[in-house]
């Protein structure tokens, strides 16, 4: 989950990232000059996460969550977030996107306050948007006594929210929510499902370095399916759609697969 005053993302037919605007008068002036470019060529396109290409494969050995009977979730999360930083920072550099490493806070158990506010009730791992901080408590069903890939995927999902913030997707969506409040939950699902997809992109890029069987990957899909939300206020998407978007990213290994903003409503329900 993410932690913000408003949910972050974007939902409209066009790309959620802002399109650069040029000065019309100066563009026409350049177009009239001999040898100058046309107005359409006057400005280079703004770099976009969804057009940034495939994520390069890297080695990301997965440390044990439980080593000789001793839980080591702190070491596990530190290693995973280091891999995420290495992979995405290099990807942003190649794509001409500005990268900023998030702060990572690991707590032995939930505290009273986090990111300047009371600790959210029932929250597992989450991302504090205003402070660019990944928060991981070492307790809860999401990580305690697990031997599957779910904690790895959760870390990659929260990192996906950081990528959305870096590339303007979150701010754009906040504006959309203020303008279209009746679409709040639909737009939030588009945002969360995109983070699921981006987590799939990362896991697909490091798959060959993970000591996991095909059954482990099937088990992860089933865990995602079981973690869909079916209540009245649905913010993360159905189990089927969570699996669908994760697997889209995983197969494509490219953020281009993660355009939840133009998907039909049934794909973000």
């Amino acid at each position: 989950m993410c932690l913000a005053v408003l949910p972050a993302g974007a939902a409209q037919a066009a790309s959620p990232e802002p399109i650069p605007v040029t000065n019309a008068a100066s563009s026409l002036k350049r177009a009239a000059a001999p040898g100058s470019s046309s107005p359409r060529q006057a400005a280079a396109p703004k770099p976009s996460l969804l057009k940034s290409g495939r994520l390069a494969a890297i080695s990301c050995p997965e440390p044990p969550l439980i080593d000789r009977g001793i839980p080591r979730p702190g070491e596990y999360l530190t290693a995973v977030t280091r891999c995420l930083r290495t992979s995405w920072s290099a990807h942003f550099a190649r794509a001409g996107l500005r990268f900023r490493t998030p702060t990572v806070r690991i707590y032995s158990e939930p505290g009273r306050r986090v990111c300047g506010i009371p600790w959210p009730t029932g929250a597992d791992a989450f991302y504090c948007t205003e402070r660019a901080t990944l928060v991981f408590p070492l307790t809860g069903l999401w990580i305690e006594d697990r031997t599957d890939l779910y904690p790895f995927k959760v870390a990659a999902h929260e990192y996906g929210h950081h990528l959305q913030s870096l590339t303007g997707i979150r701010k754009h969506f906040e504006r959309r929510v203020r303008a279209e409040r009746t679409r709040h939950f639909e737009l939030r699902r588009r945002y969360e499902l995109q983070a699921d997809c981006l987590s799939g992109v990362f896991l697909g890029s490091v798959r060959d370095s993970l000591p996991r069987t095909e059954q482990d990957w099937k088990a992860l899909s089933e865990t995602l399916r079981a973690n869909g939300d079916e209540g009245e206020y649905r913010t993360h998407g159905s189990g089927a759609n969570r699996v669908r978007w994760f697997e889209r990213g995983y197969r494509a290994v490219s953020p281009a697969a993660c355009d939840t903003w133009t998907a039909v409503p049934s794909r973000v329900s």
Side-chain angles (χ1 to χ4, degrees):
M1 66 171 287
C2 76
L3 185 63
V5 176
L6 289 173
Q12 58 181 21
S15 167
E17 296 174 288
I19 298 173
V21 178
T22 59
N23 181 283
S26 61
S27 296
L28 289 173
K29 190 177 205 178
R30 287 193 298 270
S36 66
S37 61
S38 69
R40 188 178 296 274
Q41 297 170 323
K46 187 179 181 66
S48 164
L49 178 61
L50 299 184
K51 298 179 181 179
S52 58
R54 287 173 60 88
L55 192 64
I58 67 167
S59 178
C60 184
E62 183 188 15
L65 256 174
I66 302 174
D67 185 15
R68 288 169 289 190
I70 301 174
R72 300 190 181 277
E75 292 90 334
Y76 182 93
L77 291 169
T78 298
V80 172
T81 53
R82 185 183 300 120
C83 283
L84 283 157
R85 180 191 64 211
T86 299
S87 177
W88 285 114
S89 63
H91 184 78
F92 270 49
R94 288 190 297 270
L97 293 163
R98 182 177 295 179
F99 185 82
R100 173 189 173 194
T101 301
T103 300
V104 178
R105 292 283 182 260
I106 298 176
Y107 293 80
S108 58
E109 59 184 21
R112 290 186 176 183
R113 297 183 65 82
V114 63
C115 301
I117 66 170
W119 191 287
T121 303
D124 289 328
F126 51 89
Y127 176 69
C128 296
T129 58
E130 299 306 319
R131 298 193 180 186
T133 299
L134 300 164
V135 178
F136 299 111
L138 302 183
T139 58
L141 295 177
W142 82 279
I143 196 166
E144 284 187 282
D145 300 321
R146 301 197 78 109
T147 58
D148 59 8
L149 277 161
Y150 189 63
F152 198 107
K153 185 270 169 192
V154 169
H157 174 102
E158 301 307 333
Y159 215 96
H161 288 318
H162 181 61
L163 305 179
Q164 290 170 316
S165 287
L166 290 178
T167 53
I169 293 173
R170 174 178 65 87
K171 286 187 176 180
H172 183 92
F173 177 62
E174 289 173 349
R175 292 193 296 268
R176 297 290 298 179
V177 165
R178 286 191 290 269
E180 303 177 61
R181 290 188 177 277
T182 59
R183 298 182 63 197
H184 176 107
F185 292 108
E186 175 208 332
L187 298 175
R188 178 63 177 271
R189 290 194 299 273
R190 291 181 187 271
Y191 170 71
E192 293 290 348
L193 289 167
Q194 185 177 52
D196 277 338
C197 183
L198 291 170
S199 72
V201 171
F202 176 72
L203 266 74
S205 75
V206 300
R207 171 174 178 157
D208 289 344
S209 66
L210 299 179
R212 293 291 186 165
T213 67
E214 193 62 34
Q215 187 56 42
D216 288 322
W217 293 101
K218 290 180 180 178
L220 177 58
S221 291
E222 291 308 309
T223 300
L224 283 177
R225 192 179 303 277
N227 276 275
D229 53 9
E230 310 295 343
E232 181 180 359
Y233 303 110
R234 300 179 53 249
T235 59
H236 283 64
S238 67
N241 278 331
R242 295 200 69 182
V243 171
R244 179 178 289 111
W245 285 103
F246 173 81
E247 292 185 347
R248 275 177 64 93
Y250 177 78
R251 290 192 299 268
V253 198
S254 171
C258 302
D259 185 6
T260 55
W261 315 108
T262 60
V264 297
S266 63
R267 290 291 189 252
V268 293
S269 63

